[in-house]
DNA sequence: AGAAGTACTTTGAAAAACAAAGTTAATGAG
DNA sequence: CTCATTAACTTTGTTTTTCAAAGTACTTCT
């Protein structure tokens, strides 16, 4: 039990980053502005969550110019994909675990 | 997408509380010390997480004496069960959503 | 009276999250 | 060339969350 919980990653202990990963798993390159509008985030907030994923080396960044405008896109790394799958595995096991907690004492129905 | 993420509860944005809920879903009453040893928490840390769940009215508390010693046990409320299921539903939808993010521009392979 | 166990509460500190404003680099209009 | 604009950040300061460590209340046991 303790181990299962430690297998859950703190990186994914956050709703916004879960949403970002979900997008990254299905789409090859995702644009900054796509994250921003789909998740309804401010620039700063998005950038800080991106930084968490980037620091963990779960995403890689590509910067280019498109139509003469800067265009930044992100892609999940193999490491990121593995980490996310491991997280989901741990979560699934945690939930499926029909955990054998020692029986709690029955209510003392006179108190 | 935005909506799905908002459907994820902040209460469950935490590994310890996910573990607690998993125990509570399968066991009727769970003792303070059972949480403590299965999740390997200090008294204080456990109490604070219990408080979060209790404030949300996701668990109820029963205090009694067993073998002349104080014994506190916790049970998930209907509200808690619903909230947790809703959270898991949203998570599942988020992951299953083959989300149609606008295509990112292809790499400009000369930069 | 004193020690021990259970279940907290309090205190303080560190880390995470966020909003708002500021910054940089490139483009486009005049 | 100058100024405004857009994209993508970065910085600053505040609030919130999390946690460890120590302290407390109540009861029982010796």
């Amino acid at each position: 039990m303790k181990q299962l919980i430690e297998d859950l990653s703190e990186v994914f202990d956050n709703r916004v980053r879960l949403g970002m990963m979900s997008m990254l798993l299905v789409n090859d390159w995702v644009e900054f502005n796509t994250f921003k509008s789909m998740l309804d985030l401010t620039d700063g907030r998005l950038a800080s969550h991106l930084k968490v994923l980037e620091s963990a080396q779960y995403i890689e960044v590509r910067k280019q110019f498109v139509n003469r405008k800067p265009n930044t896109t992100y892609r999940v790394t193999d490491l990121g994909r593995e980490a996310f799958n491991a997280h989901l595995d741990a979560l699934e096991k945690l939930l499926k675990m029909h955990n054998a907690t020692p029986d709690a004492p029955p209510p003392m129905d006179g108190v």
Side-chain angles (χ1 to χ4, degrees), chain A residues 2 7 83:
Chain A
K2 184 195 163 194
D7 286 347

Side-chain angles (χ1 to χ4, degrees), chain A residues 35-76:
Chain A
F35 279 128
K36 198 180 142 188
S37 66
M38 294 210 66
L39 301 171
D40 193 35
L41 303 171
T42 59
D43 287 6
R45 199 174 157 199
L46 171 54
S48 72
H49 284 296
L50 284 167
K51 208 168 181 177
V52 172
L53 294 177
E54 210 185 327
S55 302
Q57 290 178 275
Y58 289 173
I59 57 175
E60 61 178 300
V61 186
R62 183 184 68 185
K63 284 162 195 288
Q64 56 185 3
F65 277 77
V66 173
N67 301 326
R68 312 255 167 168
K69 283 187 289 189
N71 174 273
T72 311
T73 50
Y74 304 86
R75 176 165 71 173
V76 67

Side-chain angles (χ1 to χ4, degrees), chain A residues 5-41:
Chain A
I5 288 199
E6 281 166 9
D7 286 347
L8 294 174
S9 163
E10 301 183 36
V11 174
F12 304 126
D13 245 14
N14 175 288
R15 303 180 295 158
V16 172
R17 289 195 297 270
L18 282 178
M20 291 171 42
M21 287 305 288
S22 145
M23 291 173 68
L24 287 164
L25 284 190
V26 198
N27 300 282
D28 195 13
W29 291 97
V30 179
E31 294 180 52
F32 187 92
N33 279 318
T34 304
F35 279 128
K36 198 180 142 188
S37 66
M38 294 210 66
L39 301 171
D40 193 35
L41 303 171

Side-chain angles (χ1 to χ4, degrees), chain A residues 12 25 80-90:
Chain A
F12 304 126
L25 284 190
R81 199 177 292 270
E82 280 163 28
F84 194 59
N85 285 333
H87 179 83
L88 295 181
D89 273 8

